[in-house]
Amino acid sequence: MTLSLKLQKRLAAEVLKCGKRKVWLDPNEVNEISMANSRQNIRKLVKDGFVIKKPENIHSRSRARLAAAAKAKGRHTGYGKRRGTREARLPTSLLWMRRMRVLRRMLRKYRDQKKIDKHMYHELYLKVKGNVYKNKRVLMESIHKEKAERLREKAIAEQFDSRRTKNKASRLRKLQRREERLAQGLNFEQKKK
């Protein structure tokens, strides 16, 4: 007749902090083990090596790691492996949010560095929202172009102003000379008389 070691197994599981399936009771020491009816006794048996906690089963992840590495390279992602729709796999709204955040961050940075003024920032911000720029490179090129255009306009305006003032000055000089000549002519005539 075999002794039931159900109680001992349960107590051992609690003492060893594992499941009952992980508890090993020495089959040669059945009588000794069956006498143990308290946790204290079980601890003594564990110390003596009659009750042992079985090792964890090995569950290798090497195949999973290999598969993940292959997937990272882009393997196993053909039409036959896809379950969700294109939208479900990578939503367009997510792509839009990423792009907006990248472009707006860039605009903020440029404004803080004083590369663009607040008016230009606002103008570009609205254009970004209106889907005018598809990435940072395009936006950067646009900013450089705009700045160059503004500088050119400013230079032209300055040139125009300087030309206007120059013309005005020459006109004034001409008038003065004419007045002086007239005055000299009148003086000459008066002397003759």
Side-chain angles (χ1 to χ4, degrees), residues 72-84:
K73 285 182 183 173
R75 317 283 187 268
H76 319 294
T77 52
Y79 292 126
K81 290 285 181 185
R82 298 179 198 173
R83 296 299 292 275

Side-chain angles (χ1 to χ4, degrees), residues 180-193:
E180 281 171 16
R181 260 194 241 116
L182 279 171
Q184 278 177 359
L186 285 171
N187 287 343
F188 187 71
E189 282 175 16
Q190 280 174 357
K191 278 177 187 176
K192 265 185 176 180
K193 284 177 184 177

Side-chain angles (χ1 to χ4, degrees), residues 32-139:
E32 181 87 19
I33 293 168
S34 66
M35 300 294 278
N37 60 359
S38 69
R39 288 175 177 76
Q40 190 69 44
N41 295 348
I42 295 288
R43 279 193 202 97
K44 190 177 179 301
L45 292 173
V46 169
K47 196 177 172 190
D48 295 342
F50 298 155
V51 175
I52 298 172
K53 183 180 178 180
K54 288 185 195 170
E56 293 286 330
N57 291 334
I58 293 168
H59 184 183
S60 172
R61 276 198 54 78
S62 62
R63 285 185 301 280
R65 272 197 291 273
L66 275 172
K71 219 163 197 185
K73 285 182 183 173
R75 317 283 187 268
H76 319 294
T77 52
Y79 292 126
K81 290 285 181 185
R82 298 179 198 173
R83 296 299 292 275
T85 60
R86 180 187 290 159
E87 186 67 20
R89 287 162 67 87
L90 187 59
T92 49
S93 62
L94 186 74
L95 291 172
W96 172 261
M97 282 191 289
R98 277 183 196 160
R99 181 155 55 119
M100 284 299 104
R101 283 170 186 170
V102 164
L103 296 177
R104 285 173 181 176
R105 197 179 303 127
M106 187 182 156
L107 282 177
R108 270 200 305 277
K109 195 174 88 177
Y110 270 37
R111 184 183 59 184
D112 294 342
Q113 290 174 351
K114 302 278 189 290
K115 285 186 180 177
I116 56 175
D117 61 348
K118 63 180 182 180
H119 305 293
M120 195 172 177
Y121 168 85
H122 186 65
E123 201 177 294
L124 291 168
Y125 187 97
L126 292 177
K127 278 187 177 177
V128 163
K129 189 185 178 183
N131 198 19
V132 175
Y133 309 112
K134 71 172 186 176
N135 55 35
K136 269 167 74 170
R137 183 180 52 80
V138 175
L139 177 56

